[in-house]
């Protein structure tokens, strides 16, 4: 066994032992956790991570409270999450991904987003998924093949988008059974979550819903339709009663930014039982996109500041995908951390970038990662040294325009193909307005001295 494999085995053993120890009495044993970890790992391994964990435990802060919430979940779902997310995806998987990256000279994704179907039981204002149409599906066999190819490269995290993924809930549950070593997450409108589905989630254990919620009732239903907010509340209540893990997905716009970044909204999500919230900036994708929903620079700054404030004080994990690029050194698309496969099989670098050189029905995952557009992402990232301007479409539209034209990528929108010039013409004014604000915020972060912005990984 080589040194790297020995290190991996020791690391996995240490964490397994620590989790087993905590399981018996979390409130009593979590404070003793680091002493146990220190017994099993060499002194110079993961020093900064262990220091951060030790601080969480000693201060019993919001992250400690979140850890205790995880131990209130159904035991089977909790163990599947720890095994599949922590061990398979984040430890074993990441090591395998690094080996493939070095050998193949391309990006290998930590997660794969895919659309089981383009069908949806709703039609929300500004939804990019609606641009694909409503009659496309990836077969069970195709999704199974994607997962098998992904696991070979070390990818154990699969995230369903759509359409509404739960339109295909029977097949999704079968895939959970077929791949019990993977963790599955689905972005869902929540309206199809019922008692029967909760029983299925308890049975398969490795499926986590991320329910779309755009703020409180008025803000949410203005985009999603009357009565949807109450249906989502019912879905969250069922999941909480069954002690199932779930989170929230919210898209912030000029209309709802105040709602979703308020302390009241964070408290509401926590009280509802959500463990995480993923915040997404509105993207004006599609020929009929509502450009007026793009936040102003001042509105985006408000979201930026509030999420960071509540992240440090509230017992819920929150990530702002547009404003947190400093922690991952820029855009994570193009296979850097993830890629997207739509319901027609088109391999796209990003869930919001609807251009492609290849289709999963005609090539392998590895072929796609070596295709011209994906390699352009690999070779050109980061697209801006200011990590508050990470996206090649939203903040650096000249980069996306150039990559699509240079690689010959074509629009994947089968309903109304959108030329890249049309898309980038919509985002150029936004990028110009945001740049001065982003540069001032980034300069302030650099001047703080607490850390080096480029090093926040």
């Amino acid at each position: 066994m080589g040194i790297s494999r020995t290190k991996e085995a020791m690391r996995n053993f240490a964490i397994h032992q620590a989790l087993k120890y905590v399981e018996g009495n979390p409130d009593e044993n979590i404070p003793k956790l680091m002493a146990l970890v220190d017994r099993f790992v060499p002194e110079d391994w993961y020093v900064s991570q262990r220091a951060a964990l030790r601080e969480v435990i000693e201060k019993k802060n919001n992250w400690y409270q979140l850890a205790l919430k995880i131990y209130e979940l159904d035991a089977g779902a909790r163990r599947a999450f720890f095994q599949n997310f922590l061990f398979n995806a984040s430890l074993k998987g990441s090591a395998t991904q690094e080996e493939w990256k070095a050998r193949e000279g391309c990006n290998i994704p930590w997660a794969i987003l895919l659309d089981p179907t383009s069908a949806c039981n709703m039609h929300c204002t500004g939804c990019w998924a609606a641009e694909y149409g409503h009659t496309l599906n990836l077969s069970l066999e195709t999704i199974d093949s994607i997962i098998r190819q992904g696991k070979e490269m070390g990818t154990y995290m699969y995230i369903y988008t759509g359409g509404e993924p739960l339109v295909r809930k029977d097949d999704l549950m079968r895939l959970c059974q077929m791949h019990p070593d993977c963790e599955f997450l689905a972005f869902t409108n929540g309206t199809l979550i019922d008692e029967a589905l909760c029983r299925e989630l308890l049975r398969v254990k490795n499926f986590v819903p991320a329910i779309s919620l755009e703020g409180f009732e008025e803000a949410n239903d203005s985009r999603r339709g009357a009565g949807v907010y109450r249906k989502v509340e019912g879905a969250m209540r069922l999941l909480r009663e069954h002690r199932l893990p779930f989170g929230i997905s919210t898209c912030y716009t000029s209309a709802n930014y105040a709602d979703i970044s308020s302390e009241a909204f964070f408290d509401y999500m926590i009280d509802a039982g959500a463990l995480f919230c993923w915040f997404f900036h509105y993207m004006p994708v599609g020929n009929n996109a509502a450009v007026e929903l793009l936040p102003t620079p001042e509105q985006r700054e408000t979201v930026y500041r509030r999420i960071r404030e509540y992240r440090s004080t509230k017992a819920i994990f929150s990530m702002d995908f547009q404003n947190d690029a400093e922690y991952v050194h820029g855009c994570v698309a193009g296979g850097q951390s993830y890629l997207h496969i739509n319901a027609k099989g088109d391999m796209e670098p990003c869930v919001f970038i609807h251009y492609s050189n290849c289709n999963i029905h005609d090539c392998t995952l590895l072929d796609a990662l070596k295709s011209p557009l994906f390699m352009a992402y690999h070779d050109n990232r980061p697209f801006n040294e200011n990590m508050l301007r990470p996206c090649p479409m939203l903040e650096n539209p000249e980069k996306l325009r150039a990559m699509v034209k240079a690689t010959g990528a074509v629009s994947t929108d089968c309903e109304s193909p959108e030329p890249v010039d049309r898309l980038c013409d919509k985002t150029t004014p936004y990028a110009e307005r945001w740049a001065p604000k982003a540069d001032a915020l980034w300069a302030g972060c650099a001047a703080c001295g607490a850390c080096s912005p480029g090093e926040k990984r």
Side-chain angles (χ1 to χ4, degrees):
M1 182 181 289
I3 293 175
S4 63
R5 292 187 179 275
T6 301
K7 181 176 179 179
E8 179 186 344
M10 290 181 67
R11 175 181 58 192
N12 291 349
F13 175 74
I15 298 176
H16 268 299
Q17 289 297 108
L19 293 176
K20 183 178 179 181
Y21 174 72
V22 171
E23 189 81 22
N25 189 332
D27 199 23
E28 179 180 330
N29 292 337
I30 285 178
K32 304 174 185 176
L33 180 61
M34 283 316 302
L36 182 67
V37 171
D38 290 341
R39 284 176 52 195
F40 288 100
V41 301
E43 189 174 322
D44 61 340
W45 283 8
Y46 304 100
V47 175
S48 61
Q49 292 92 332
R50 287 158 62 188
L53 181 56
R54 186 174 283 106
E55 181 180 8
V56 166
I57 293 172
E58 290 174 353
K59 292 185 176 181
K60 293 195 173 183
N61 61 13
N62 58 308
W63 297 107
Y64 179 86
Q65 299 306 318
L66 179 58
L68 290 181
K69 288 177 62 176
I70 292 174
Y71 278 92
E72 296 173 2
L73 297 174
D74 170 77
R78 179 176 63 251
R79 285 192 288 267
F81 170 78
F82 281 137
Q83 178 65 52
N84 296 344
F85 180 82
L86 187 59
F87 295 108
N88 298 347
S90 300
L91 294 177
K92 179 178 74 173
S94 292
T96 303
Q97 291 158 29
E98 291 302 318
E99 293 174 2
W100 277 70
K101 287 178 184 179
R103 184 174 69 245
E104 302 295 341
C106 63
N107 288 328
I108 302 295
W110 177 80
I112 293 176
L113 276 65
L114 53 89
D115 301 349
T117 181
S118 63
C120 185
N121 59 330
M122 295 170 58
H123 191 96
C124 304
T125 303
C127 174
W128 56 263
E131 304 300 321
Y132 286 129
H134 299 278
T135 60
L136 303 171
N137 293 280
L138 291 174
S139 70
L140 176 72
E141 292 74 22
T142 297
I143 299 174
D144 176 49
S145 174
I146 292 168
I147 296 170
R148 291 182 185 280
Q149 291 179 61
K151 287 198 293 186
E152 185 179 357
M153 296 187 290
T155 304
Y156 288 85
M157 188 75 192
Y158 295 87
I159 303 175
Y160 297 121
T161 54
E164 168 50 51
L166 292 180
V167 169
R168 295 274 307 279
K169 58 186 177 183
D170 290 344
D171 280 342
L172 300 191
M173 295 302 102
R174 285 186 63 191
L175 287 159
C176 286
Q177 289 181 273
M178 294 164 69
H179 299 280
D181 53 348
C182 293
E183 191 70 12
F184 296 93
L185 184 143
F187 290 114
T188 172
N189 60 43
T191 62
L192 300 180
I193 295 174
D194 55 16
E195 178 74 31
L197 180 62
C198 287
R199 289 196 296 270
E200 280 292 278
L201 298 185
L202 285 171
R203 182 177 66 84
V204 299
K205 302 178 178 58
N206 56 339
F207 187 98
V208 179
I211 302 174
S212 296
L213 192 61
E214 309 296 342
F216 293 111
E217 188 165 14
E218 182 179 354
N220 184 80
D221 287 2
S222 67
R223 277 194 74 196
R224 298 189 167 270
V228 173
Y229 181 82
R230 296 299 177 187
K231 292 180 181 178
V232 167
E233 283 193 318
M236 292 192 296
R237 183 176 61 254
L238 277 173
L239 291 166
R240 185 176 65 248
E241 289 172 353
H242 287 81
R243 299 165 60 212
L244 285 161
F246 73 93
I248 300 296
S249 168
T250 188
C251 173
Y252 56 91
T253 72
S254 60
N256 75 343
Y257 79 96
D259 256 26
I260 62 90
S261 63
S262 68
E263 183 171 16
F265 187 64
F266 272 78
D267 289 341
Y268 172 78
M269 293 189 291
I270 293 169
D271 291 343
L275 298 176
F276 62 88
C277 182
W278 287 7
F279 292 89
F280 295 93
H281 188 292
Y282 173 71
M283 299 290 192
V285 176
N287 286 311
N288 297 318
V291 180
E292 65 275 11
L293 290 177
L294 282 167
T296 67
E298 293 72 25
Q299 291 168 345
R300 179 169 171 178
E301 181 184 5
T302 295
V303 174
Y304 166 83
R305 293 190 183 281
R306 287 181 178 173
I307 289 176
R308 288 173 180 236
E309 175 187 354
Y310 299 133
R311 180 187 293 153
S312 66
T313 58
K314 302 291 184 180
I316 184 171
F317 177 78
S318 57
M319 179 175 288
D320 180 347
F321 278 84
Q322 209 63 30
N323 291 328
D324 281 342
E326 64 190 272
Y327 300 111
V328 289
H329 200 59
C331 172
V332 296
Q336 173 65 26
S337 293
Y338 89 96
L339 59 82
H340 178 240
I341 306 173
N342 71 21
K344 190 171 61 174
D346 296 316
M347 309 278 285
E348 300 169 335
C350 174
V351 73
F352 300 114
I353 305 293
H354 298 170
Y355 301 94
S356 179
N357 288 128
C358 48
N359 188 288
I360 193 62
H361 298 300
D362 304 319
C363 70
T364 66
L365 275 176
L366 186 60
D367 290 336
L369 289 162
K370 291 184 174 183
S371 69
L373 185 57
F374 277 84
M375 288 306 298
Y377 268 76
H378 175 273
D379 296 340
N380 289 288
R381 180 184 178 273
F383 299 105
N384 199 305
E385 290 303 318
N386 182 336
M387 295 292 109
L388 291 172
R389 300 169 61 190
C391 178
M393 176 182 73
L394 189 66
E395 294 104 357
N396 307 280
E398 73 283 356
K399 301 290 180 69
L400 179 64
R401 198 188 305 256
M403 288 193 298
V404 169
K405 291 183 177 182
T407 61
V410 298
S411 173
T412 57
D413 184 339
C414 60
E415 295 286 297
S416 179
E418 182 174 34
V420 69
D421 283 331
R422 179 181 173 89
L423 172 62
C424 292
D425 285 348
K426 289 184 292 188
T427 59
T428 295
Y430 174 93
E432 292 172 348
R433 291 192 298 269
W434 172 243
K437 176 72 72 176
D439 289 346
L441 288 170
W442 192 241
C445 186
C448 170
C451 56
S452 173
E455 297 300 318
K456 290 182 178 177
R457 301 292 295 278

